[in-house]
């Protein structure tokens, strides 16, 4: 099938950008913002129109997704919907933009914390330099009946990098919940109520133990064996 020309100005700028990627760049190859803008000097927001292709299944990686890329580089990984065909350029319903009020409601529901790493907006990461920025991510949820739903979750930019295809199977989580012993269920409910996991002394100790050098790990193991012998 012969594709339209990416130089056909009768087409929308997003469609033309898609055709340029297919015809000029090619799947798997790298292009720069400068090359993109040079190809469309008359389109003021060609960068944005190209990013919009991701909402239609096109995969275009940046340096946040692929560490081998330079900041000005992007990789055309995979082609998505044929957005140059009438009706194909309409974004899926779950990709529609959120209003400010909707975003605020999601942040409030998530206590203004990244649900992946727990960091708050504007809080410094462990490097002490970079500050977190919170976004709203659309997460695909596989429902127990086999259907799909797209739900919103607060996520920082760092955790959200490269996670566009992340999904969760709610049925699996519910099956795991049924397998919990009554005591485990109560502990988990307490974590839910507090919206954080409270580590037991044993779990805290394990976290520290894992960081120890071999000689110190052996000293801890020997001490525990001695305590166990005394108890018996």
């Amino acid at each position: 099938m012969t594709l339209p020309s990416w130089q056909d100005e009768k087409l929308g700028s997003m469609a033309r950008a898609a055709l340029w990627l297919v015809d000029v760049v090619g799947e798997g190859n790298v292009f720069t913002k400068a090359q993109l803008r040079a190809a469309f000097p008359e389109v003021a927001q060609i960068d944005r129109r190209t990013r919009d292709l991701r909402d239609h299944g096109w995969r275009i990686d940046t340096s946040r997704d692929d560490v081998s890329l330079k900041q000005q580089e992007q990789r055309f990984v995979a082609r998505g919907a044929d957005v140059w065909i009438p009706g194909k350029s309409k974004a899926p319903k779950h990709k529609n933009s959120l209003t400010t009020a909707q975003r605020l409601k999601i942040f409030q529901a998530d206590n203004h914390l990244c649900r992946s790493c727990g960091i708050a907006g504007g809080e410094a990461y462990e490097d002490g330099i970079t500050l977190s920025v919170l976004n709203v991510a659309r997460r695909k949820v596989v429902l127990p009946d086999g259907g799909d739903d797209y739900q919103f979750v607060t996520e920082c930019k760092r955790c959200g990098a490269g996670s566009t295809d992340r999904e969760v199977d709610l049925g699996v989580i519910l099956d795991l919940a049924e397998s919990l012993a009554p005591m485990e269920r109560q502990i988990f409910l307490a974590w839910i109520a507090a919206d954080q996991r409270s580590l037991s002394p044993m779990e805290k100790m394990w976290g520290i133990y894992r960081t120890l050098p071999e000689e110190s790990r052996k000293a801890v193991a020997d001490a525990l064996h001695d305590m166990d012998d005394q108890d018996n």
Side-chain angles (χ1 to χ4, degrees):
M1 179 180 177
T2 303
L3 298 178
S5 170
W6 63 270
Q7 296 175 313
D8 185 354
E9 296 185 4
K10 294 180 181 178
L11 297 172
S13 53
M14 183 177 69
R16 292 180 61 199
L19 290 165
W20 179 78
L21 287 173
V22 173
D23 186 42
V24 178
V25 179
E27 288 188 31
N29 294 323
V30 173
F31 65 97
T32 66
K33 291 182 180 180
Q35 290 172 327
L36 177 63
R37 291 167 185 168
F40 301 92
E42 76 287 0
V43 182
Q45 295 187 336
I46 192 60
D47 290 351
R48 181 175 179 180
R49 297 283 79 83
T50 304
R51 289 198 301 271
D52 288 344
L53 287 169
R54 295 188 177 99
D55 292 342
H56 301 273
W58 291 66
R59 182 176 169 189
I60 304 169
D61 285 356
T62 67
S63 57
R64 292 185 304 173
D65 310 303
D66 184 343
V67 295
S68 68
L69 295 173
K70 298 177 182 178
Q71 188 174 2
Q72 293 296 316
E73 292 180 333
Q74 298 181 63
R75 188 186 305 279
F76 171 35
V77 180
R79 172 175 160 178
D82 297 340
V83 295
W84 49 86
I85 297 177
K88 294 284 187 178
S89 60
K90 186 177 180 181
K93 185 177 180 181
H94 70 273
K95 292 291 187 178
N96 292 339
S97 298
L98 293 172
T99 65
T100 300
Q102 288 172 322
R103 290 173 60 85
L104 180 59
K105 185 176 181 181
I106 294 164
F107 286 150
Q108 290 173 338
D110 290 336
N111 296 321
H112 295 273
L113 299 173
C114 172
R115 302 307 298 181
S116 296
C117 71
I119 198 168
E123 185 179 349
Y125 289 100
E126 291 182 357
D127 58 19
I129 301 173
T130 310
L131 301 182
S132 72
V133 177
L134 297 182
N135 286 328
V136 173
R138 292 169 170 84
R139 186 67 43 80
K140 182 179 180 181
V141 179
V142 180
L143 303 175
D145 63 4
D148 294 337
D149 188 20
Y150 284 87
Q151 300 173 9
F152 300 104
V153 64
T154 302
E155 197 168 52
C156 71
K157 269 190 168 183
R158 179 175 291 187
C159 289
S163 66
T164 54
D165 297 326
R166 187 181 299 173
E167 67 177 45
V168 61
D169 193 324
L170 185 57
V172 171
I173 302 297
L174 294 176
D175 287 343
L176 289 171
E178 287 188 5
S179 69
L180 294 176
M183 179 62 72
E184 292 173 322
R185 194 175 306 122
Q186 291 303 312
I187 293 173
F188 202 89
L189 283 170
W191 292 349
I192 291 175
D195 199 23
Q196 64 178 358
R197 177 188 172 192
S198 302
L199 298 179
S200 68
M202 185 170 65
E203 289 172 315
K204 292 178 181 178
M205 179 180 171
W206 174 253
I208 298 171
Y209 170 81
R210 286 287 303 273
T211 69
L212 296 176
E214 180 185 7
E215 186 176 349
S216 294
R217 294 200 306 272
K218 185 177 184 303
V220 173
D222 290 343
L224 287 170
H225 281 303
D226 289 342
M227 294 175 194
D228 194 46
D229 290 339
Q230 292 175 7
D231 291 339
N232 295 327

